[in-house]
Amino acid sequence: MTTSGFICGLDAALAVIGGKWKPLILYHLAHEARRYGDLRRAIGTVSDKMLIQQLKELEADGIVDRLDYKEIPPRVEYSLTAFGKTLAEALKPLCAWGTEHVAEVEKVVSRRGTSAAESAA
Amino acid sequence: MTTSGFICGLDAALAVIGGKWKPLILYHLAHEARRYGDLRRAIGTVSDKMLIQQLKELEADGIVDRLDYKEIPPRVEYSLTAFGKTLAEALKPLCAWGTEHVAEVEKVVSRRGTSAAESAA
DNA sequence: CAGCATCCGCGACGATACTG
DNA sequence: CAGTATCGTCGCGGATGCTG
């Protein structure tokens, strides 16, 4: 058994950033460390359950770092690890591609169910 | 509201390549045009329904091109469009990143359910 | 050979309530 | 503030069978 499941690295990468909220998390964390609630507010429409879950997976993947200040009231900061930053680097071209072709993509995707683009006037 | 659903191009890109079999399809099509059955065999464990569906979405997205030879028995070839090739280009670094860190990723992902790790050729 | 229709399970995703 | 636990929905993805 190859035990390697992944055929073209792309699979591996997608397994890491494929979660519904992961790209957004990565995006917001790329600039600077963020507190939990801060992050949630930044993303806007994510539930605690999902945010925590995705955050934990990213943490398990070694992409993000969790810093607990052990204070009362609680204060926790999330940030990208060095490893996570290499991922962010690798993501840049794709991000640029997406930005450049947002219009086309959005148009077609919205036809598939208004999943990502809701208020596309 | 931003009316743009997508915050960072990354979202847009993921909406395009996020399907379960899309990376594999892209991967196999990147090298050369492929016939339907050929493609299905190459991927191995994909059902007709899924392959067709993903292929159609990619086609609607302008990523892949469908060439029907109108013959009997039927012959259809799928290939990347010029647009699709720009996407493939943007994907390379991510692909490389995934390849480079397959080990780490695979380890963690397999803990989450052996979901993506199974289809080896 | 290429593709479509249908049924169905299961896991992702989400809303709500509760805790330290 | 930063989570956790539970329950319910929804649609993705898979298996099977049929058609041109």
Side-chain angles (χ1 to χ4, degrees):
Chain A
M1 254 343 117
T2 46
T3 61
S4 110
F6 301 120
I7 302 209
C8 65
L10 192 48
D11 275 19
L14 262 297
V16 172
I17 63 169
K20 186 175 186 184
W21 301 101
K22 303 228 179 124
L24 274 323
I25 294 174
L26 255 27
Y27 177 76
H28 288 292
L29 251 36
H31 310 301
E32 57 190 337
R34 292 251 195 181
R35 294 188 56 175
Y36 177 84
D38 188 20
L39 195 53
R40 177 155 48 84
R41 241 167 285 118
I43 295 181
T45 55
V46 63
S47 66
D48 281 327
K49 180 194 167 189
M50 283 317 292
L51 184 53
I52 282 293
Q53 177 191 303
Q54 308 264 306
L55 240 17
K56 278 189 174 172
E57 288 183 4
L58 287 173
E59 196 191 348
D61 287 353
I63 303 297
V64 310
D65 195 32
R66 200 191 98 116
L67 176 56
D68 188 339
Y69 286 90
K70 311 269 187 188
E71 298 175 349
I72 300 292
R75 181 152 69 107
V76 177
E77 268 188 12
Y78 290 90
S79 59
L80 286 188
T81 62
F83 186 46
K85 281 173 184 165
T86 66
L87 174 59
E89 275 307 309
L91 240 28
K92 277 188 181 174
L94 182 61
C95 196
W97 183 91
T99 303
E100 190 169 350
H101 304 289
V102 167
E104 290 107 302
V105 173
E106 193 172 313
K107 208 185 313 172
V108 178
V109 171
S110 64
R111 288 188 169 224
R112 295 211 288 261
T114 324
S115 48
E118 26 230 60
S119 44
Chain B
M1 9 220 83
T2 47
T3 66
S4 101
F6 300 121
I7 305 216
C8 60
L10 194 47
D11 273 21
L14 262 296
V16 172
I17 62 169
K20 186 175 187 184
W21 301 101
K22 302 218 179 136
L24 274 322
I25 294 174
L26 256 26
Y27 176 76
H28 288 292
L29 252 35
H31 310 301
E32 57 189 337
R34 291 251 194 181
R35 293 187 57 174
Y36 177 84
D38 189 20
L39 195 53
R40 178 155 47 86
R41 240 167 287 118
I43 295 181
T45 55
V46 64
S47 66
D48 282 327
K49 179 195 168 190
M50 274 293 110
L51 184 52
I52 282 292
Q53 178 191 303
Q54 308 265 304
L55 241 17
K56 278 189 174 171
E57 288 182 5
L58 288 173
E59 195 191 348
D61 287 354
I63 303 296
V64 310
D65 195 33
R66 199 192 98 117
L67 176 56
D68 189 339
Y69 284 91
K70 311 267 187 190
E71 297 175 351
I72 300 293
R75 181 152 70 106
V76 177
E77 269 188 11
Y78 290 92
S79 59
L80 286 188
T81 63
F83 186 45
K85 282 173 185 168
T86 66
L87 173 59
E89 275 307 309
L91 241 27
K92 278 189 180 174
L94 183 61
C95 195
W97 183 92
T99 303
E100 190 168 351
H101 304 289
V102 166
E104 290 106 303
V105 173
E106 194 173 311
K107 208 185 315 173
V108 179
V109 170
S110 64
R111 289 188 170 225
R112 295 210 291 258
T114 323
S115 50
E118 273 189 38
S119 47

